[in-house]
Amino acid sequence: MSERALRGTRLGATSYETDRGIDLAPRRTVEYACPRGHRFEMPFSVEAEIPPVWECRSCGLVAQQVDGALPEEKKNKPARTHWDMLMERRTREELEEVLAERLAVLRSGGIDLHHDPRDNRKSA
């Protein structure tokens, strides 16, 4: 008999459990509105921290909580350039010293500018 009872059903795809007789956790509903005028409600646990913004279900824009506080603006750090990071590691005097050393090596012929050190091919 049990073989016949499951015939024609997709096991795992459909749940046969019901919510009858189960006490769900206390919830509250929060309303959000997006810039395009879409309004929707989201259920949250009473204990949950309510986010001030949520993605709109209809258009995907950022919707704000109705009658809620606006989210705090995050302070953006200015972009760090290569020069900024270099100056964190060395002083200007140290950089001038390194530059003078490299120029001296270049001028003395210690570096072959016409040979690419990455080129390991042997010439025939």
Side-chain angles (χ1 to χ4, degrees), residues 6-16:
L6 297 177
R7 188 176 293 169
T9 63
R10 293 171 277 141
L11 292 177
T14 307
S15 174
Y16 295 104

Side-chain angles (χ1 to χ4, degrees), residues 41-62:
E41 293 181 343
M42 294 298 301
F44 289 96
S45 169
V46 173
E47 300 168 358
E49 183 178 329
I50 306 299
V53 294
W54 198 268
E55 184 177 320
C56 178
R57 292 177 169 180
S58 302
C59 63
L61 291 177
V62 176

Side-chain angles (χ1 to χ4, degrees), residues 65-101:
Q65 183 180 347
V66 175
D67 299 330
L70 295 176
E72 295 179 14
E73 295 281 329
K74 292 183 180 178
K75 292 184 179 180
N76 293 335
K77 293 181 181 178
R80 285 176 46 197
T81 64
H82 179 70
W83 179 254
D84 294 333
M85 291 184 266
L86 185 63
M87 293 307 289
E88 288 175 5
R89 294 190 307 269
R90 301 197 183 224
T91 64
R92 192 168 195 91
E93 291 79 26
E94 290 173 329
L95 291 173
E96 288 175 2
E97 185 179 321
V98 170
L99 177 61
E101 290 173 6

